[in-house]
Amino acid sequence: MVRTAVLVSGGGTNLQALIDKAARGEMPSVELALVVSNSAGAFALERAKRAGIRAEYLEKAGFEERLEALLREEGIGLIVLAGFLRILSEDFTRRWAGRIINIHPSLIPSFCGAGFYGLRVHAAALERGVKVTGATVHFVNEIPDGGEIIAQRAVEVLPGDTPETLQRRVMEQAEWIILPQAAEKVAEMLERS
Ligand code: GRF
C-alpha cells in the first residue's frame, strides 16, 4: 500500500468518495494516512476526523515547508489534491513529479487553467453552451491543470442547468468515480516502480 495524503480546501466530497471507496476495500493500494487543509474551517477536516484519519490545518505562512515536514513524518508516497485551491510552487511539484494528482471539474483542456475552479468552471461551460462536460484527473506540474491526463469521464449538460446543478451532477457522475479509480491506478504503478 502507498501511504497517501489528501490536500483539501472545502467541503471534502471528493475526500469522502476516497474514504468510502477505501472502506469498501475497493482501493487496496491506497492507505489514506493524512488530510491537510489550507482552510481552517474546511468541512473536509471533519470528514477526515470522523474516518480516523490524521487531519491538519496549515496556515498560509510557511505552508509548503510545514507540509513537506508532515509528508515526511507520515512517510507519504502519493499526494491527491481534492478540491484544493492553493497553487503549489514549481519547486514542490517538481519534487513530487509523478506522485501528485488533481481532480478538475471539466474535460481538460476545456475550462481549465488559472481562475477556473469550483462553480466558475461550470458557469463557463454553461456560458459557452457545451452539451457535454465532465471531470479530469491529471498529474500535477507547474502549469495549473497542465499535467498528463490520467482519467476523464463525460457528463451531459441538461436544459435548465445552473452552475450548482451541473456541479452536483459532475461530482456524482464523474469526480467521485474517477478520482478513487485514478488514485488506485497511480498507487499500483508506484508500488510496482
Ligand atoms: C468542487 O468544485 C469540485 O468540483 C472540485 O473542487 C470543489 C470542491 O470539491 N474538484 P470537494 O467537495 O471539496 O471535494
Side-chain angles (χ1 to χ4, degrees):
M1 291 179 97
V2 178
R3 287 178 62 80
T4 299
V6 184
L7 305 192
V8 297
S9 299
T13 64
N14 280 285
L15 169 65
Q16 193 63 54
L18 292 165
I19 290 169
D20 295 346
K21 189 92 170 173
R24 294 195 300 267
E26 296 171 2
M27 217 166 49
S29 305
V30 174
E31 179 186 359
L32 297 173
L34 174 67
V35 172
V36 178
S37 176
N38 63 323
S39 165
F43 188 66
L45 290 172
E46 183 58 30
R47 294 180 191 272
K49 289 171 190 160
R50 291 179 186 176
I53 301 168
R54 182 179 180 180
E56 299 290 350
Y57 157 67
L58 296 181
E59 63 182 15
K60 193 177 175 69
F63 181 87
E64 287 193 7
E65 289 76 17
R66 294 171 64 195
L67 174 60
E68 281 284 8
L70 274 175
L71 297 170
R72 211 174 13 259
E73 183 186 331
E74 290 290 348
I76 299 300
L78 172 63
I79 300 172
V80 178
L81 308 186
F84 183 65
L85 295 180
R86 179 189 165 109
I87 299 298
L88 294 164
S89 70
E90 183 168 340
D91 181 41
F92 186 96
T93 57
R94 283 190 190 288
R95 250 197 324 278
W96 285 88
R99 296 186 294 147
I100 179 168
I101 66 175
N102 179 53
I103 176 85
H104 181 77
S106 75
L107 296 176
I108 289 174
S110 297
F111 313 116
C112 69
F116 281 102
Y117 57 87
L119 281 173
R120 293 179 177 204
V121 174
H122 305 290
L126 291 171
E127 175 67 29
R128 183 64 186 82
V130 295
K131 302 306 177 190
V132 174
T133 184
T136 302
V137 182
H138 61 94
F139 284 108
V140 174
N141 62 14
E142 64 284 358
I143 304 158
D145 303 323
E148 177 193 348
I149 290 172
I150 302 165
Q152 293 190 304
R153 190 176 175 100
V155 173
E156 207 180 357
V157 179
L158 298 179
D161 260 333
T162 64
E164 289 77 9
T165 60
L166 185 53
Q167 177 180 55
R168 185 78 195 176
R169 189 175 317 111
V170 169
M171 284 175 161
E172 288 173 346
Q173 297 183 9
E175 294 181 44
W176 299 344
I177 294 167
I178 63 172
L179 183 59
Q181 288 175 345
E184 173 61 20
K185 179 181 174 184
V186 173
E188 274 177 9
M189 286 190 311
L190 290 171
E191 271 188 327
R192 287 199 302 269
S193 64

